[in-house]
């Protein structure tokens, strides 16, 4: 039976993906650390949408977790037709202030888990000649952001890998998309120690990310920027020097203005 696997499904943007795909009748595998939250969502989706939902509690900082998730799906006979790599975290502050442990965590979840899960599930999609991969990146991926250097670099990895996969998988029936949101109203900022009151752009709701990703998949886009402001910012990068791009990104994120 075909399933959609969503990492980071316990809250925020991942939860919004789970809600929308449940509404569309997808069977789901939900992955995150917060088991109780996911069980509550799973019960709601089973009851209200009549879909099958499996909950897989894993900490993606653990290098073995992607292999366990893959095994979990095999045991549950859940064939993953769509993979949504949404789990992610950030840490606000200058690079030389980031605790080494946090540096590891951000890189493990944002890059390693995303790459490992994709590597594990892709051969089955190729064998079936069908599937979709949604990678949640960030507008921050398009340049280094002062105060968010590590985070923006990990998201650049996500975009770059997605683009390469898009090229490799063309003609094999598998779609790959990198979604690059700006600021979205979730608990992400508090968790990262990033004061959202300082941000110099408005926040959008999680639904805009999900809508943009689904529309982008339909159009077979490789990168999508959910809001008009996101698209204007991306376009403006063509008109100014790289130094201005970097300054502007740091100004907008305003990590240091506490
Ligand atoms: N919010 C924004 O403005 C924004 C903008 C651009 C891109 N993004 C990206 O969007 C994605 C979702 O962000 P969000 O705003 O929804 O953040 P969020 O509300 O903090 O949710 C993050 C999700 O990732 C999961 N997660 C974090 N660490 C994990 C770990 N070690 N193991 C397993 N799961 C883990 C969390 O689940 P548990 O805590 O239950 O494990 C949670 O479900 C991230 O990749 C983020 O970088 C966010």
């Amino acid at each position: 039976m075909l399933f959609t696997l969503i990492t980071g499904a316990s809250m925020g943007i991942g939860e919004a993906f789970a809600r929308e795909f449940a509404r569309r009748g997808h069977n789901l595998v939900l992955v995150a650390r917060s088991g109780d939250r996911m069980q509550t969502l799973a019960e709601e989706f089973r009851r209200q949408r009549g879909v099958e939902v499996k909950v897989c509690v894993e900490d993606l900082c653990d290098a073995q977790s992607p292999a366990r998730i893959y095994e979990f799906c095999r045991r549950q006979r859940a064939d993953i037709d769509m993979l949504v790599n949404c789990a992610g975290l950030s840490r606000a502050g200058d690079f030389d202030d980031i605790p080494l442990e946090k540096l590891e965590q951000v890189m493990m979840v944002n890059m390693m888990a995303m790459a490992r899960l994709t590597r594990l599930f892709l051969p089955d999609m190729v064998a079936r000649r069908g599937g979709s991969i949604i990678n949640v990146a960030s507008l921050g991926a398009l340049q280094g952001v002062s105060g968010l250097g590590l985070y923006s670099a990990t998201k650049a990895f996500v975009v770059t890998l997605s683009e390469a996969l898009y090229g490799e998988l063309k003609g094999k029936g598998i779609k790959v998309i990198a979604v690059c949101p700006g600021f979205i109203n979730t608990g992400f900022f508090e968790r990262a120690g990033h004061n959202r009151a300082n941000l110099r752009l408005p926040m959008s709701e999680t639904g805009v990310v999900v809508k943009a990703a689904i529309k982008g998949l339909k159009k077979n886009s490789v990168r999508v920027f959910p809001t008009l402001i996101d698209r204007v910012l991306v376009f403006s990068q063509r008109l100014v020097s790289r130094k201005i791009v970097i300054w502007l990104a740091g100004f907008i994120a305003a990590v240091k203005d506490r």
Side-chain angles (χ1 to χ4, degrees):
M1 195 182 271
L2 296 178
F3 279 73
T4 292
L5 187 152
I6 303 168
T7 68
S10 59
M11 60 189 88
I13 296 169
E15 177 184 339
F17 271 112
R19 287 189 178 285
E20 179 57 22
F21 286 130
R23 194 185 69 79
R24 288 167 179 253
H26 294 215
N27 300 313
L28 299 174
V29 178
L30 309 179
V31 178
R33 291 165 301 182
S34 308
D36 290 351
R37 289 179 72 110
M38 291 191 293
Q39 287 296 354
T40 306
L41 289 173
E43 276 159 32
E44 180 189 323
F45 299 157
R46 287 179 198 123
R47 199 177 55 248
Q48 292 183 356
R49 308 294 182 191
V51 294
E52 276 208 33
V53 188
K54 319 274 183 203
V55 170
C56 181
V57 180
E58 282 288 352
D59 183 347
L60 295 172
C61 290
D62 180 345
Q64 304 309 318
S65 63
R68 283 196 300 266
I69 293 165
Y70 183 73
E71 269 314 304
F72 172 88
C73 292
R74 280 176 72 101
R75 274 199 316 277
Q76 299 283 330
R77 299 187 189 287
D79 296 324
I80 304 306
D81 179 46
M82 180 181 276
L83 171 63
V84 184
N85 285 304
C86 186
L89 72 156
S90 175
R91 169 68 178 222
D94 284 348
F95 189 71
D96 54 356
D97 280 339
I98 297 181
L100 281 174
E101 195 192 357
K102 185 56 88 174
L103 185 137
E104 292 278 320
Q105 290 170 1
V106 173
M107 292 176 78
M108 284 303 288
V109 177
N110 294 8
M111 296 192 301
M112 288 301 287
M114 172 265 172
R116 281 198 167 108
L117 286 169
T118 303
R119 172 64 187 82
L120 285 162
F121 285 104
L122 199 46
D124 297 338
M125 290 186 187
V126 172
R128 275 199 308 274
R129 293 196 67 77
S132 311
I133 301 174
I134 297 174
N135 292 323
V136 181
S138 168
L139 211 51
L142 303 190
Q143 69 291 292
V145 184
S146 310
L148 297 175
L150 175 65
Y151 176 72
S152 52
T154 63
K155 292 300 183 178
F157 173 92
V158 174
V159 171
T160 304
L161 183 57
S162 303
E163 288 180 345
L165 288 172
Y166 180 91
E168 289 177 15
L169 296 165
K170 222 166 178 212
K172 293 189 178 174
I174 298 158
K175 294 181 176 180
V176 183
I177 195 168
V179 195
C180 303
F183 300 129
I184 308 297
N185 184 16
T186 69
F188 179 79
F189 295 90
E190 282 71 21
R191 278 183 273 285
H194 187 170
N195 185 353
R196 55 191 272 167
N198 294 334
L199 299 174
R200 291 193 170 94
L201 279 183
M203 289 230 168
S204 303
E205 295 305 319
T206 53
V208 303
V209 182
V210 177
K211 205 171 149 195
I214 292 172
K215 194 171 161 199
L217 270 186
K218 262 193 204 140
K219 288 169 62 183
N220 203 17
S221 306
V222 60
R223 302 187 306 181
V224 285
F225 303 98
T227 69
L228 180 62
I229 294 176
D230 300 337
R231 293 190 284 277
V232 168
L233 280 171
V234 175
F235 182 76
S236 73
Q237 293 204 341
R238 298 183 193 175
L239 309 175
V240 297
S241 74
R242 202 64 191 158
K243 285 181 186 173
I244 294 179
V245 169
I246 293 164
W247 172 82
L248 185 64
F251 176 77
I252 291 172
V255 171
K256 286 197 169 174
D257 304 347
R258 297 198 173 213

